[in-house]
Amino acid sequence: MIAPNASRLSPLALAIALAPLGAVAQNVTPDADPQQHNRTLISEELVVVGQPLDSLMNSDDIERKQANDLDDIFSGVSSVLVGGSVGAAQKIYVRNLGEDTLNIMVDGATQSGVTYHHTGRISVEPELLKQVRVQVGAGDATNGPGALGGAIRFETKDPEDLLGSDNFGALLKTGYFSNTEGTKNSATVYGRFNDTLSAMASYVDADQDNMEDAKGNELPGTNSDQGLGFVKLVGDLGAGHRLSLSHERLTEEGEKLTRPEWGQGPNNPLRELEFERETSTLKYQWDAPGNEALLVDANVYATEFNIYRPWDNYTSTVDTQGFTLGNTSKLAGHSVEYGVDYRDDEVTAGEADDANPFTETSEVLGLFVQDRYQATDRLLLSFGTRYDEFEAVDKEGNEFIEEGFSPNLGFSFEATRRLTVSGGYAEALRGVETNDGFKLFGTTNDPDLKAERAKNLEFGADYELGRFMFSAGVHDVTIEDAIGNAVPWSRHYENLGDLESEGYTLGLTYSGQRLFSKWTFLDTTAEIDGEQVTRYSYGYLGTSTGDTLSIDTSYQITDGLDAGWIATLVEGMDDIYVVAADATVDKPGYGVHDFYLHWEPRVSENLSMTLTVKNAFNKQYLDHGSIEDFTHVPDYDGIVGYPAPGRDIRLSLALRF
């Protein structure tokens, strides 16, 4: 077994670690059914070209982790890194490419724009998630505009997901977190009023004190008081028509550091900070009975994300409205999805009572078509394109207009009964968009800003041997003319050069009747014109991480009791040169292990309990998605991220009526 505090690894070490499992594989009957394991776990594998490394997790996965923030949601997913200890300051990176390169959606509502560069741009409540899907890399034309580094889709639960055969019900949950001496309580009611109409309403309240690191040091500014209200109404109207309307309001407040993503220091005092996100979505689907040419999927949405600083009465708000109208037609082996999407963003910032705040706007109109063609029994082809037109007006009145096509082409070929190979090429375009609200008072744009274009090349292979699945893949992504701030500390946006992410993955999955184990190794680098990307310098654009081994293992002890182990082992990085500071920094490696037990007693099928131990071996570390440690550099002594929280024992109880 890998030591609890293991911090360095290599492909050779990975091969040695997996060798015993490979030997076992030779003794497995080829006809063994890998589907017998009855738990649906995180899926992260090559699926079709143009959609390379694709991750899917459902509500059961999230519940067993007792997820409390973004980092918890994506634990065990090697392609996704969430940086930062403070939930409000967490940023998402997919293969080292940041939120500026991703298209992130909640129930189809795109969460775009930046309110404050020292915080994250997305806040979700794990309690209400039905599933999360991660599309890694530029790919499918249906990913939406500007998906240079990929797309993340959060989908909330429907009443039908909770009702089963009942017409009405309620779910009460309570949880305790030892590290923060915090609690999370939720109440959800749901009902089916007739054959047509169902509804649900939920409220979640979470109250957390300051975290402690593994050395027992309190981390001021990491406390949180969060509340979420959620309602959804669903109508099955007959003849394949389905309509849903949902509204979600998430609030958080607390005494945060002025720059929440940095550690505490003389230039980073504690001050009150308030967050609020509201999202409303209307969705319509029509699966026409007996007509494979009509599968309509449409949504209209509005979302608003606001940050308010009471101490200087400064506020920043991102308002987004948009829609998607699509249809899927199936004919002669083809499944063609086509449609139109539109999004309008407005960022305003300034004093809360200012009648004339700083304002920037952007909009994008796109047309898309994606064909998945089963050419033969063994060959699946995927090809399509997007056409997007971007328009933006900055606070100085400069207008930016860009348009163009984003093609993709890929294949998946079953070379033998056991071996499948796949690969593809895809492009994605993103024009100039709105800037960071907390920088608007001093921000300028290069009037000659050009659109960014991603070019993504992927190849992979899966080999199935009984209950074992071996996988390997390579990726090479180049984002030409990446847009960002000139370094150091500039508020001037310009084309910085080419942002590149390249590397490979290795994977091994075992699916038995009771045991499931997935090991994934990721080696990826991110550079801008030869300089390794750091979170400090490039923030939302990207970061750099060491080679990472992710392990997700579970064992079903009895029909009602299962145990799990999730581990993340990251290799250290030394002497990273940072142009902005004219200095080098190190990123020490770390190994983090989480364990859980989930119990559904037979005596009461309406009761469930989960015990989770996060960072079980109490490892002190700074994750590679956090602000790097610059404390050894003159004039940078206050620049370092907070260490990760120490051991956290979590217990939750759920009771269904």
Side-chain angles (χ1 to χ4, degrees), residues 308-345:
Y308 174 58
R309 291 194 313 204
W311 63 273
D312 64 353
N313 197 35
Y314 194 91
T315 186
S316 173
T317 301
V318 177
D319 280 301
T320 299
Q321 292 85 38
F323 71 85
T324 301
L325 174 60
N327 183 55
T328 302
S329 299
K330 296 181 180 180
L331 179 66
H334 293 268
S335 178
V336 186
E337 189 172 356
Y338 49 93
V340 57
D341 49 37
Y342 172 79
R343 191 182 80 237
D344 179 272
D345 297 321

Side-chain angles (χ1 to χ4, degrees), residues 286-395:
W286 181 29
D287 187 356
N291 188 344
E292 292 194 337
L294 283 175
L295 177 55
V296 178
D297 195 339
N299 70 62
V300 179
Y301 63 86
T303 184
E304 178 183 290
F305 188 41
N306 172 264
I307 295 181
Y308 174 58
R309 291 194 313 204
W311 63 273
D312 64 353
N313 197 35
Y314 194 91
T315 186
S316 173
T317 301
V318 177
D319 280 301
T320 299
Q321 292 85 38
F323 71 85
T324 301
L325 174 60
N327 183 55
T328 302
S329 299
K330 296 181 180 180
L331 179 66
H334 293 268
S335 178
V336 186
E337 189 172 356
Y338 49 93
V340 57
D341 49 37
Y342 172 79
R343 191 182 80 237
D344 179 272
D345 297 321
E346 180 182 71
V347 174
T348 57
E351 291 191 8
D353 52 357
D354 192 342
N356 297 294
F358 298 109
T359 302
E360 292 194 346
T361 61
S362 65
E363 59 182 330
V364 54
L365 176 66
L367 303 173
F368 61 88
V369 58
Q370 187 72 36
D371 187 2
R372 298 170 183 86
Y373 173 45
Q374 194 71 51
T376 71
D377 290 343
R378 293 187 172 187
L379 178 62
L380 172 66
L381 299 177
S382 177
F383 45 90
T385 191
R386 289 188 59 86
Y387 175 79
D388 293 302
E389 182 178 87
F390 292 84
E391 295 185 14
V393 179
D394 67 16
K395 66 181 182 62

